[in-house]
């Protein structure tokens, strides 16, 4: 009998020990699973503007929508801003947008912030008529300097699809060709870019692209153009006027035009040959500029510098969230000013009379 009791007690003790062991193991496992689950919370990559991903607050449907646009009431008067002060550079606008100059940013830091976001950047370039001659250099130098190491889709718009050069593209970079009609007027070719870009965004890019930059083809890259240029709405200061008084800017000055800017108004003179930003912002910009250009045309008005005039009017009212210095679109025929430490992208020397279909 005594032996039976010892065995019975031993079995009971063993069962209790197993139960305790099991509960420890299971609870530990549950912690690990919940930790892993936490890591698996899907982060919305599409427009994740956070720079670091802290412990995610529980998603609430009831956060107020945030409008980050910087729209200014018409005809607000204030002193003309500048991006240079003597031989020094100015690195912020009066509406607190960064002005990107060499030496003001850390490319390694910025690339390490944006790489995990898995972004797609589109670039549009038009090579119509004789401008096709610039396309190879544009594409080859873009491969060397434009968002190197990131996913880039280049959209070439041309009336001569068969003439598009085969350029070796790095992994993750693609070139797509879209046929567009030519025109007897270079003004028309240039201006219609807004309509073509709007249509491209609506037909093809909305679901797949985060940022877009729209660039002139008669230019080449000479230095880094990368994640420092990313932003909601990005404008490039024209190299020809950033030291001038705004009354001398080649804005559209006829009040009848929708691109009109008065002599005592305006911030900077921005390039029509380089602009960009978040897809939805550039969609709104191109849609607005196209509509205004076409409405003017209905009244037999063509702004002084076509879509570039309308872009300047748009950026006067809808302040850019980031301004790129003239490093981002220089002109080869110009000597470098002292504040220009690097030329990243620059218009090549050309004879317009030889390459344009009309004067
Ligand atoms: O592709 C053409 N063909 C033309 O005959 C005239 C303009 N264009 C496109 O429009 C090119 O992409 C040009 O870069 C752009 C207008 N810009 C210029 O002509 C100079 N960069 C000012």
């Amino acid at each position: 009998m005594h032996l039976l009791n010892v065995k019975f007690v031993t079995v009971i003790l063993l069962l209790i020990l197993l139960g305790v062991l099991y509960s420890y193991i299971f609870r530990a496992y549950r912690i690990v699973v919940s930790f892993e689950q936490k890591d698996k919370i899907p982060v919305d990559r599409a427009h994740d503007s956070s720079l670091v991903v802290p412990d995610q607050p529980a998603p609430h449907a009831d956060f107020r929508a945030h409008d980050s646009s910087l729209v200014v009431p018409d005809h607000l008067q204030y002193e003309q801003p500048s991006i240079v002060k003597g031989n020094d550079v100015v690195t912020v606008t009066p509406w607190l947008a960064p002005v990107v100059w060499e030496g003001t940013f850390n490319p390694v830091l910025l690339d390490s912030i944006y790489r995990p976001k898995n972004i797609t950047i589109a670039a549009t370039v038009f090579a119509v008529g004789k401008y096709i001659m610039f396309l190879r250099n544009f594409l080859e130098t873009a491969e060397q300097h434009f968002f190197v190491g990131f996913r880039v889709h280049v959209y070439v718009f041309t009336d001569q699809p068969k003439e598009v050069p085969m350029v070796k593209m790095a992994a993750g970079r693609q070139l797509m060709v879209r046929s567009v009609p030519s025109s007897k007027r270079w003004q028309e070719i240039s201006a219609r870019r807004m309509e073509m870009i709007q249509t491209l965004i609506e037909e093809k890019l909305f679901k797949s692209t985060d940022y877009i930059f729209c660039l002139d083809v008669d230019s080449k890259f000479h230095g880094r153009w990368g994640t420092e240029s990313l932003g909601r709405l990005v404008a490039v200061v024209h190299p020809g006027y950033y030291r001038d008084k705004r009354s001398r800017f080649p804005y559209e000055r006829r009040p009848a035009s929708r691109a009109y800017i008065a002599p005592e108004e305006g911030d900077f003179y921005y390039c029509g040959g380089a602009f960009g930003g978040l897809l939805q912002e550039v969609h709104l910009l191109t849609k607005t500029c196209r509509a205004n250009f076409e409405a003017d045309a209905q009244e037999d008005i063509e702004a002084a510098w076509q879509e570039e005039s309308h872009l300047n009017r748009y950026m006067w009212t809808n302040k850019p969230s980031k301004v790129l210095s003239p490093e981002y679109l220089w002109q080869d025929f110009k000597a470098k000013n002292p504040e220009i430490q690097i030329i990243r992208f620059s218009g090549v020397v050309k004879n317009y009379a030889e390459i344009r279909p009309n004067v």
Side-chain angles (χ1 to χ4, degrees):
M1 190 54 185
H2 179 64
L3 193 59
L4 260 179
N5 282 347
V6 168
K7 279 187 178 174
F8 178 70
V9 167
T10 310
V11 166
I12 294 299
L13 284 174
L14 270 174
L15 285 172
I16 290 168
L17 189 64
L18 279 172
V20 168
L21 265 177
Y22 176 76
S23 68
Y24 268 117
I25 292 167
F26 177 69
R27 193 163 60 235
Y29 176 69
R30 199 167 59 249
I31 288 170
V32 171
V33 168
S34 64
F35 182 75
E36 279 176 359
Q37 287 302 340
K38 187 166 171 297
D39 267 3
K40 288 199 169 57
I41 293 173
V43 175
D44 168 17
R45 296 258 185 258
H47 299 299
D48 165 17
S49 55
S50 65
L51 295 183
V52 178
V53 182
D55 283 340
Q56 296 279 359
H60 286 279
D62 56 1
F63 279 137
R64 290 170 56 86
H66 173 63
D67 171 13
S68 50
S69 62
L70 302 170
V71 181
V72 174
D74 229 355
H75 304 310
L76 185 73
Q77 302 286 316
Y78 55 87
E79 200 181 308
Q80 177 181 348
S82 178
I83 58 169
V84 286
K85 199 173 177 67
N87 280 343
D88 292 328
V89 298
V90 174
T91 61
V92 67
T93 70
W95 57 92
L96 294 182
V99 181
V100 182
W101 287 98
E102 176 66 1
T104 62
F105 63 90
N106 180 328
V108 174
L109 172 60
L110 283 164
D111 285 356
S112 66
I113 288 171
Y114 280 96
R115 208 175 297 286
K117 292 175 182 278
N118 192 22
I119 56 174
T120 298
I121 301 122
T124 62
V125 65
F126 289 70
V128 177
K130 291 183 180 164
Y131 276 62
I132 191 94
M133 72 172 75
F134 302 113
L135 189 54
R136 176 177 290 282
N137 283 340
F138 174 94
L139 294 172
E140 286 177 348
T141 56
E143 279 302 289
Q144 295 158 19
H145 301 290
F146 187 75
F147 285 98
V148 172
F150 284 80
R151 186 180 306 112
V152 173
H153 295 168
V154 181
Y155 294 86
V156 172
F157 295 76
T158 180
D159 57 336
Q160 308 148 72
K162 292 191 176 54
E163 299 304 313
V164 174
M166 297 305 289
V167 168
K168 185 161 173 24
M169 314 269 298
R173 298 169 76 97
Q174 290 175 25
L175 185 146
M176 269 73 74
V177 179
R178 295 199 35 128
S179 286
V180 293
S182 181
S183 163
K184 291 189 177 43
R185 295 185 67 238
W186 66 266
Q187 296 90 339
E188 164 84 15
I189 295 168
S190 189
R192 281 200 71 192
R193 291 187 288 177
M194 291 296 185
E195 172 197 351
M196 307 285 183
I197 295 165
Q198 174 197 350
T199 307
L200 173 73
I201 292 172
E202 291 168 357
E203 287 178 357
K204 202 163 165 35
L205 301 191
F206 251 136
K207 295 182 179 46
S208 61
T209 306
D210 301 287
Y211 295 92
I212 184 169
F213 284 91
C214 310
L215 303 166
D216 268 1
V217 74
D218 52 333
S219 311
K220 284 164 66 176
F221 292 90
H222 303 274
R224 172 194 166 101
W225 180 319
T227 50
E228 75 283 356
S229 69
L230 294 176
R232 181 177 60 79
L233 180 62
V234 181
V236 178
V237 173
H238 194 292
Y241 308 95
Y242 67 96
R243 286 182 167 276
D244 290 352
K245 290 224 165 307
R246 58 187 169 191
S247 55
R248 294 175 48 80
F249 289 173
Y251 286 144
E252 170 52 52
R253 299 297 188 182
R254 293 167 292 176
S257 168
R258 291 158 181 80
Y260 172 64
I261 296 181
E264 69 287 356
E265 294 178 344
D267 297 313
F268 306 108
Y269 190 76
Y270 300 112
C271 304
F275 61 91
L278 278 179
L279 199 74
Q280 63 264 39
E281 289 284 345
V282 173
H283 179 249
L284 183 57
L285 179 155
T286 54
K287 188 176 177 185
T288 307
C289 289
R290 176 225 179 151
N292 288 338
F293 183 83
E294 291 178 355
D296 270 9
Q298 289 296 320
E299 298 164 7
D300 289 330
I301 290 184
E302 183 171 281
W305 289 99
Q306 299 78 40
E307 86 288 353
E308 185 172 80
S309 301
H310 288 278
L311 176 126
N312 273 278
R313 172 61 205 248
Y314 185 89
M315 296 287 190
W316 163 239
T317 307
N318 307 275
K319 301 304 189 200
S321 63
K322 183 170 276 186
V323 172
L324 306 185
S325 70
E327 298 165 4
Y328 287 84
L329 184 48
W330 196 249
Q331 290 166 325
D332 284 0
F333 65 76
K334 275 172 77 75
K336 250 200 297 194
N337 293 344
E339 64 275 359
I340 306 294
Q341 292 180 54
I342 178 174
I343 292 175
R344 303 174 188 278
F345 187 53
S346 181
V348 300
V349 173
K350 72 215 85 151
N351 177 338
Y352 284 125
E354 282 171 11
I355 57 173
R356 282 175 167 171
N358 60 310
V359 290

